[in-house]
Amino acid sequence: MHGTDTILSPPQLTAARNLLGWSRRELAIVSGVSEGTIKALETGTTDPRLSTMRKLLGTLLAHGVEFVNQ
């Protein structure tokens, strides 16, 4: 699952961030996505924009996180 149009679920986003040992603030700094947006995505209180998901996915992939389809 490496397409740039991939939408991560709230649990996937949280798990990926935790896998890296990053706080929401750290992910925000590295990805350029606001900490508030990351929190809203992780808690499922907002639907992501494709551009936001591309930034987050690109950041996570670039730092070694891999997503697999099951």
Side-chain angles (χ1 to χ4, degrees), residues 13 33-43 45-46 48 52 56:
L13 180 56
V33 174
S34 78
E35 187 176 350
T37 297
I38 293 168
K39 180 179 180 180
L41 292 171
E42 287 186 350
T43 58
T45 57
T46 190
T52 300
L56 291 170

Side-chain angles (χ1 to χ4, degrees), residues 16-34:
R17 179 177 59 77
N18 288 330
L19 183 67
L20 292 172
W22 289 355
S23 66
R24 287 179 180 146
R25 178 167 168 67
E26 289 169 313
L27 179 55
I29 290 167
V30 176
S31 68
V33 174
S34 78

